[in-house]
Amino acid sequence: PADLKPRPPVVTVMGHVDHGKTSLLDAIRHTGVTRTEAGGITQHIGASQVTINDRVITFVDTPGHEAFTAMRARGAKVTDVVVLVVAADDGVMPQTVEAINHSKAAGVPIVVAVNKCDKPEANPDRVRQELTEYGVIPEEWGGQNMFVNVSAKQGQGIDDLLETILLQADVLELKANPDTFASGYILEGKLDRGRGPVATLIVGRGPLHVGDAVVAGQSWGHVRAMLNPRGEQVTEAKPSDPVEILGLSAVPGAGDEFRVFEDDRDARDLAEQRALKARIEEQNKVKHVTLETLFDEMSQNELKELNLVVKADVQGSIEALADALGKMDQSEVRINIIHSAVGAISETDVTLAAASNAIIVGFGVRPQGKARDLAEKEKVQIKTYSIIYKAIEDIDAARIGMLKPTEEEVTTGSAEVRETFRVPKVGVVAGCMVTEGEISRDDRVRVVRDGVVIFDGVFASMRRFKDDVKSVRAGYECGLGIDKYQDIKVGDVLEAYKIVEVARTE
Ligand code: GDP
């Protein structure tokens, strides 16, 4: 501990789309550039630095919680402070809430930049009021969060914001060993045609020197050259400095750890070991907790918390679940809802769950886009329910290791509605293209519109041309009727599934 010295804070900017994240970063960078008179266009190396009152702040250039949580899912903790941008004319919006929940799950403090204060309709106090509902409470109201009113457009309040970030950093007492073999995290890597593998990294312990033997993820090499965010060649990088380095054997990934070694051979060996380990891990990928394995994990790994990401078609379901969980005995395992929102299950939800070892619970909603594939890849459990008490029953049973062999839904295929017809005496029939798997006449079916389940039932008919058929495979068109449901629309997704009995694993 005696070797630790103060280091600059590393900051990520988050917030709802169009609330001014990019503008704010630009305004901040502009402040920094004029002040240091670096005489140059800032180079985009993935991070930037500004100096205020002779102190440095590092900013990660990719705003938003997606990149932030993707890094964390890989074990990289780079950000010390989150600046949450909220537009004063718009207030708290869905991605504001996501950003708060992602920051909280990572345990990173939030400084709020109330932006667009130049607008006549701006209402910064309303933003403060609205944020209290999400546990982000101004210090002047007795809370933990520092707030600054800014206008990214007019450059107002930027100095104040930077000073506030430094205050927040002081509270955190950020320190690192500045006199040891360097290590840290890769922010991004790319292959440059002229220069070979290029990586931007943030130094944790330092300093990093040109000529050092480094391992980054599965690649290694000697640092051939180093560029700072202004595009200048440097020979040394200190803790919290972002630099672009050349000389690696391959392109490392965002979130990979890097380390300096005294001996090249050690560096190469470690890189090779990691490559081998990665291949093995790929084969038996780290599994995250599931409701079925919760009890075992509690006894084996002393898992003391069950984290949930809850998505629902209506706010009422989320509240009902939170209520019921609150009444549950939590002496053995604490149940936390780390994020909840109305809407389909997204890729970001899966990333957050992977980073936080959480289970995703959906009410009346389904995974959208690539979320299901990602969940499979990341081994994140998605449990979807149509009835609340069933979810509560499952969680309660899982808690005491009594989750019975469950009936599980297996999705067999899905089809997209391309046209609809009204057939006399039969009702509405959907002209569909089967896009995945195989759909059978006796499967159950869900009608999904924009990721929300709007009907659950069985097929009334399944036809190819004029013939009734038993099943249709991906790549084929067919006509589908749904029993007791006439409101099919073009663009709906029909998800076919079966219910099978699964025994508890292990
Ligand atoms: P992002 O999506 O969060 O990165 O938002 P942008 O930085 O792209 O900003 C979205 C829009 O808001 C742009 O048209 C900006 O010009 C505008 N904007 C950003 N900051 C301010 C501000 O302080 N005042 C005003 N009036 N407009 C702003």
Side-chain angles (χ1 to χ4, degrees), residues 281-295:
E281 263 173 19
E282 196 50 44
Q283 282 159 13
N284 39 29
K285 187 97 192 203
V286 199
K287 271 199 188 148
H288 294 290
V289 66
T290 66
L291 278 188
E292 289 73 17
T293 57
L294 173 68
F295 186 73

Side-chain angles (χ1 to χ4, degrees), residues 45-47 60-61 71 78 185-189 200-202 242 253-256:
I45 71 162
V60 176
D61 280 347
M71 294 273 291
V78 168
Y185 290 106
I186 303 294
L187 271 189
E188 54 186 46
T200 295
L201 51 83
I202 292 199
D256 279 345

Side-chain angles (χ1 to χ4, degrees), residues 16-23 115-116 118-119 151-153:
H16 194 72
V17 64
D18 278 347
H19 279 198
K21 297 180 291 295
T22 314
S23 309
N115 191 30
K116 307 199 186 185
D118 58 287
K119 287 196 159 183
S151 163
K153 197 173 185 178

